[in-house]
Amino acid sequence: MDRSTLPFENREDAGRRLAEKLRKREYENPLILALPRGGVPVAYEVAKVLKAQMDLLFVKKIGAPGWPEYGIGAVVDGANPQIVLTEEIVRQIRPSPDYIEAEMQRQLKEIARRRSIYLGDRQPIDLKDRTVIIVDDGIATGGTVKAALKGVRKNKPRKIILAVPVAPVETLEELRDQCDEIICLYTPYPFGAVGAFYRDFSQTDDSEVISLMSEMQT
């Protein structure tokens, strides 16, 4: 494959191009929520152009009893953390309420640990009545983003916008009723993996997240 023909140089390039599209919409007092880690460099560029506040949005899967890789839902971070369950799977597996509560608390502890690494003692920003723009570096199947959207919706924002550089059309259609607006720069077919559309898709490490979030606080 000739990588010189790919649409995005790197996450920063994708973020700047996404920011230009969002800037034209003139959202009132937007709040940028980045899905770590890969979404952070993209969201940082968006927040700079929009002169917006930026926070991280952690989503941690809840696995089935005895089968942790099989997700039955997720815990979504925030000033008011939310649990989002996949009802049809829960009906099939019937995990006990005690199991769900214990898993939720376990994942909240992990979220708190990661938030502390990236943001120190900074508390999550309240989403109520805010125009929230959720940013990632791309979407493939959309499972994490769907949980994020549902969790954010429970915090009663004024509006939810999903903004990503690249995603398949069918996934965006599945997410459309979970948000008020979707901004996506590139919807290739066939899709494959998100990284296939970046010339440089090297992993975003913890130190980069810490540095970018520190800059957003200055």
Side-chain angles (χ1 to χ4, degrees):
M1 179 186 293
D2 181 4
R3 299 194 71 80
S4 67
T5 63
L6 296 178
F8 305 112
E9 177 64 36
N10 50 32
R11 291 181 179 89
E12 291 76 16
D13 172 51
R16 286 190 289 269
R17 292 166 60 184
L18 195 58
E20 281 306 304
K21 190 137 188 174
L22 289 162
R23 183 177 60 83
K24 295 173 184 175
R25 283 165 164 74
E26 299 182 347
Y27 298 113
E28 183 180 349
N29 192 25
L31 170 61
I32 313 302
L33 292 182
L35 289 165
R37 289 174 298 190
V40 176
V42 183
Y44 174 78
E45 299 296 331
V46 172
K48 277 200 308 183
V49 170
L50 271 57
K51 297 181 172 58
Q53 282 184 294
M54 178 176 164
D55 202 355
L56 301 180
L57 182 65
F58 297 93
V59 179
K60 295 293 291 180
K61 180 172 66 179
I62 294 178
W67 195 2
E69 291 305 308
Y70 188 59
I72 63 172
V75 177
V76 182
D77 180 33
N80 299 291
Q82 301 291 335
I83 184 167
V84 177
L85 297 175
T86 307
E87 297 296 342
E88 58 269 28
I89 297 177
V90 170
R91 282 195 297 270
Q92 293 170 6
I93 295 177
R94 298 181 181 178
S96 72
D98 286 347
Y99 173 83
I100 292 174
E101 176 64 24
E103 283 300 293
M104 178 179 179
Q105 294 304 321
R106 188 170 72 85
Q107 297 300 353
L108 282 172
K109 285 181 182 177
E110 175 60 16
I111 287 171
R113 185 188 72 81
R114 291 185 64 197
R115 178 170 278 277
S116 177
I117 290 170
Y118 295 145
L119 295 164
D121 59 2
R122 174 178 159 186
Q123 295 302 303
I125 300 171
D126 193 352
L127 308 184
K128 190 176 184 201
D129 295 328
R130 296 293 299 269
T131 297
V132 175
I133 303 176
I134 297 174
V135 178
D136 204 354
D137 54 12
I139 305 172
T141 61
T144 297
V145 171
K146 184 179 286 188
L149 291 168
K150 288 182 176 179
V152 166
R153 179 69 71 189
K154 289 183 178 184
N155 280 278
K156 300 181 180 177
R158 178 185 306 167
K159 183 181 285 188
I160 300 175
I161 293 97
L162 175 62
V164 291
V166 60
V169 170
E170 58 270 23
T171 298
L172 296 180
E173 286 304 313
E174 291 174 7
L175 297 171
R176 201 164 293 282
D177 64 350
Q178 303 293 332
C179 52
D180 298 288
E181 187 177 359
I182 294 176
I183 307 296
C184 182
L185 302 179
Y186 190 52
T187 53
Y189 181 85
F191 186 79
V194 170
F197 305 100
Y198 286 82
R199 291 190 280 282
D200 176 8
F201 199 66
S202 52
Q203 185 173 339
T204 304
D205 61 25
D206 286 348
S207 63
E208 183 176 359
V209 175
I210 293 165
S211 174
L212 292 176
M213 294 309 297
S214 177
E215 286 186 39
M216 288 306 301
Q217 294 180 68
T218 57

